[in-house]
Amino acid sequence: MRILLTGANGYIGCRLAALLVKKGYDVTALVREPRRLHLPKATLSKIHVIKADLLQKKTLRAIPKNIDVAYYFIHSMTTPKDDFCRLDRIAAENFVQRIDQTSCKQIIYLSGIQDTIEGSKHLASREEMEHVLQKAKASLTTLRAAIIIGSGSASFEIMRDLVEKLPIMIAPKWIKSVCQPIAIRDVLYYLEGVVDKPACFNQTFDIGGPDILSYRKLLLEMARLRGLKRWIIQLPVLTPRLSSYWLYLITSTNYYLASALVEGLKNDVVCQNNHIKKILPKKCLSYREALEKAFDKIEQVGVLSSWTDALSSGRMRPGFLEHVHPPKEGCVQMRFTRSFTKNPEQVYACFMDIGGKRGWYYMNWAWTIRGMIDELIGGVGIRRGRASRKKLRIGDALDFWRVLLIDEKERRLLLYAEMKLPGEAWLEFAIHKKGKTFYLQQSAIFRPLGILGRLYWYALYVPHYFLLKGLLKQVIQRSSHYPKE
């Protein structure tokens, strides 16, 4: 069975790819940037990877004609509302046109439960995409889910932020709305289970776990599991817009995703069509069991994918990896170099471990304040942390940076700033050797945007000087705690 998997480096796609390979399917993964497809080597070696962008028709020629089933996991929730509906429609139309030229006999689409789409552009867009996909020659199978519970999912991480950060939560009236959450492993079971099942052709199914709970109960149950005392106060004056800003300021989501989620929270989201249980009988995990599995993965540092992996969680655009060298012209920079006698592998491991919960080694409070200011002016802030506490990957979000380059051989790390700036900024760590002496070089490069950009650079020159110089020193000092390789 030959399967095309779109959105293969997304939260769902990344996990489904591993499952499909394990089940023995011949998988072709469609991604915009192959170097961002972070799968276990054993999985990656068994799939075909093609580079294409569903918004660019010409690139879709890379889709092979001899496919049997295609998964459609393309959504633009983290872009502005007026934009994501249009982009979603264009992508779906381009996909259908190309799929009609192949031997594909089934399209599988994951959508959201739509008891009502009133007031929700996000759900309206999902429904419109479903109608577009139904026009394809291939049969469409649609699975609709409410909140997906799993380590790295947007819903799970947002709830986790609220529960772990706020002893007292101020919530709007939608806190009483009910939903039917489902564990990520159950979603994957259904996504794989409907493959090549004639009973599922041209059908729509709601999928959900056994529990129907209010959002208040979802949060309080997570708090109990974490051993935390939490209180929720409902305020009817919180409008959807204010609720979106509240989620944006408190959690790791961006404003557009927060807004889309709030629109969906206003309505009850409960499974109405349960026919899938007759075709694929399964006892799904309860909400608490799903939470326990998710936190177990986090504790084991086993999170395979996260919603923050998406480029739309920051400022980067597809193709950014083609520009891993900071420009030489029109830039100002601050560079520090320090010799060291420690094992270079220890120093490399130390600066590769930076950010997230571990912090920035020197004056971490200053980095935190910069992140808070960035949030207040509409930036990503420092909330995203890092996808893995053990390993960085190219394309990862790292607080308010994006990982552009990791060169293990040259022991080099290059980051690009995604905070709000009057220009563009890069931060680079690199280890060099001259004779028998090793040096750690740290470079801060800034390309100012007009006069405002230059004023920004020179106004903060002294604070940046002490901050970065201290950071370099701390990297070398702390490297003693890292094991030699």
Side-chain angles (χ1 to χ4, degrees):
M1 183 69 63
R2 296 157 299 188
I3 293 181
L4 174 69
L5 179 60
T6 66
N9 51 7
Y11 174 70
I12 298 290
C14 187
R15 296 174 183 230
L16 184 61
L19 176 61
L20 294 174
V21 167
K22 185 178 180 180
K23 293 287 186 176
Y25 293 109
D26 182 357
V27 180
T28 296
L30 183 154
V31 293
R32 291 186 296 183
E33 178 47 68
R35 284 171 289 185
R36 292 189 60 251
L37 185 57
H38 303 305
L39 291 170
K41 290 183 179 179
T43 300
L44 198 56
S45 64
K46 295 178 181 178
I47 67 176
H48 311 286
V49 181
I50 59 174
K51 182 178 181 179
D53 185 344
L54 288 173
L55 294 175
Q56 303 293 329
K57 281 187 180 181
K58 293 181 179 180
T59 67
L60 301 187
R61 296 170 184 169
I63 296 177
K65 292 187 176 182
N66 60 334
I67 59 174
D68 300 305
V69 176
Y71 284 95
Y72 192 82
F73 294 148
I74 306 298
H75 300 294
S76 307
M77 280 177 64
T78 49
T79 54
K81 288 183 187 179
D82 296 336
D83 207 24
F84 79 70
C85 297
R86 179 181 63 84
L87 295 177
D88 280 349
R89 183 178 62 255
I90 293 172
E93 290 172 347
N94 290 343
F95 175 77
V96 167
Q97 289 180 22
R98 178 55 184 168
I99 284 298
D100 282 349
Q101 299 170 2
T102 73
S103 58
C104 181
K105 59 183 179 181
Q106 182 186 21
I107 297 171
I108 300 172
Y109 174 54
L110 180 62
S111 185
I113 294 178
Q114 302 166 8
D115 286 352
T116 175
I117 61 174
E118 183 180 353
S120 174
K121 288 187 177 181
H122 160 54
L123 289 178
S125 177
R126 291 285 182 99
E127 185 178 56
E128 182 182 15
M129 289 170 65
E130 193 173 329
H131 292 324
V132 173
L133 295 174
Q134 285 173 343
K135 296 178 182 178
K137 295 177 182 178
S139 299
L140 176 65
T141 300
T142 302
L143 297 177
R144 294 175 172 175
I147 287 180
I148 296 176
I149 304 299
S151 53
S153 80
S155 301
F156 172 82
E157 296 298 340
I158 288 172
M159 289 194 299
R160 182 184 172 198
D161 276 346
L162 292 173
V163 167
E164 295 185 351
K165 292 179 180 179
L166 298 176
I168 300 176
M169 288 177 255
I170 307 299
K173 59 183 180 181
W174 54 252
I175 200 72
K176 291 184 177 180
S177 299
V178 297
C179 74
Q180 193 167 349
I182 183 170
I184 178 62
R185 62 177 58 199
D186 293 329
V187 174
L188 296 177
Y189 168 83
Y190 286 124
L191 285 170
E192 188 276 326
V194 299
V195 170
D196 200 30
K197 286 273 193 312
C200 298
F201 288 2
N202 296 316
Q203 297 293 321
T204 297
F205 305 101
D206 292 347
I207 57 175
D211 300 316
I212 298 175
L213 304 168
S214 68
Y215 292 104
R216 172 189 290 273
K217 289 184 178 179
L218 292 180
L219 294 170
L220 293 179
E221 180 63 23
M222 181 182 283
R224 278 192 290 269
L225 180 64
R226 302 298 282 167
L228 300 170
K229 288 283 188 179
R230 293 296 182 260
W231 292 267
I232 299 176
I233 300 173
Q234 181 184 335
L235 289 183
V237 296
L238 276 180
T239 64
R241 173 167 290 188
L242 287 176
S243 299
S244 300
Y245 279 118
W246 181 70
L247 279 183
Y248 165 68
L249 290 172
I250 299 300
T251 72
S252 57
T253 183
N254 67 29
Y255 175 74
Y256 305 117
L257 177 57
S259 181
L261 291 173
V262 167
E263 285 181 348
L265 296 176
K266 293 184 294 184
N267 306 308
D268 294 341
V269 186
V270 179
C271 296
Q272 300 296 324
N273 176 351
N274 294 312
H275 302 322
I276 191 71
K277 293 182 178 180
K278 297 179 181 179
I279 303 171
L280 296 169
K282 186 182 193 307
K283 183 181 179 181
C284 293
L285 294 178
S286 67
Y287 174 60
R288 186 176 180 86
E289 289 171 332
L291 287 180
E292 290 172 345
K293 296 288 185 185
F295 282 112
D296 283 346
K297 279 288 185 183
I298 293 171
E299 293 300 323
Q300 298 165 13
V301 199
V303 181
L304 180 61
S305 59
S306 169
W307 75 273
T308 59
D309 296 337
L311 295 184
S312 52
S313 70
R315 296 172 57 200
M316 301 304 295
R317 296 181 180 276
F320 74 97
L321 290 174
E322 302 300 331
H323 308 284
V324 296
H325 297 286
K328 295 181 180 179
E329 303 298 329
C331 291
V332 289
Q333 63 179 297
M334 189 178 293
R335 179 169 292 168
F336 300 98
T337 303
R338 191 181 183 94
S339 63
F340 61 89
T341 56
K342 296 179 174 63
N343 187 311
E345 294 300 329
Q346 291 177 282
V347 177
Y348 174 70
C350 187
F351 67 69
M352 288 293 291
D353 204 26
I354 206 164
K357 289 186 177 180
R358 192 172 295 275
W360 287 83
Y361 299 164
Y362 184 74
M363 291 175 64
N364 189 62
W365 57 268
W367 296 86
T368 302
I369 290 175
R370 180 62 180 90
M372 292 171 62
I373 294 173
D374 193 54
E375 290 179 39
L376 290 173
I377 60 177
V380 296
I382 205 166
R383 305 159 297 171
R384 299 181 303 181
R386 48 187 290 159
S388 170
R389 285 179 288 174
K390 286 189 175 181
K391 188 175 182 179
L392 279 183
R393 305 173 302 187
I394 292 175
D396 274 359
L398 177 60
D399 293 333
F400 44 52
W401 302 90
R402 180 74 64 172
V403 179
L404 280 188
L405 178 69
I406 295 173
D407 190 331
E408 294 183 7
K409 184 178 179 181
E410 298 295 328
R411 303 187 186 97
R412 180 185 172 210
L413 171 66
L414 180 63
L415 307 175
Y416 178 83
E418 292 195 303
M419 73 280 276
K420 293 281 187 178
L421 290 170
E424 294 181 285
W426 295 260
L427 181 62
E428 182 180 35
F429 297 89
I431 294 176
H432 305 289
K433 184 179 181 182
K434 292 182 180 180
K436 296 183 179 181
T437 306
F438 284 98
Y439 296 87
L440 174 59
Q441 180 175 285
Q442 178 185 271
S443 304
I445 304 160
F446 183 67
R447 179 163 61 186
L449 181 63
I451 296 176
L452 182 60
R454 293 192 173 275
L455 288 174
Y456 173 87
W457 172 262
Y458 290 113
L460 295 177
Y461 186 90
V462 173
H464 281 159
Y465 177 89
F466 289 105
L467 180 68
L468 296 175
K469 190 174 182 179
L471 174 60
L472 182 72
K473 181 179 179 181
Q474 283 296 311
V475 168
I476 294 175
Q477 288 183 353
R478 292 181 181 226
S479 63
S480 300
H481 301 294
Y482 287 80
K484 300 179 181 178
E485 295 186 2

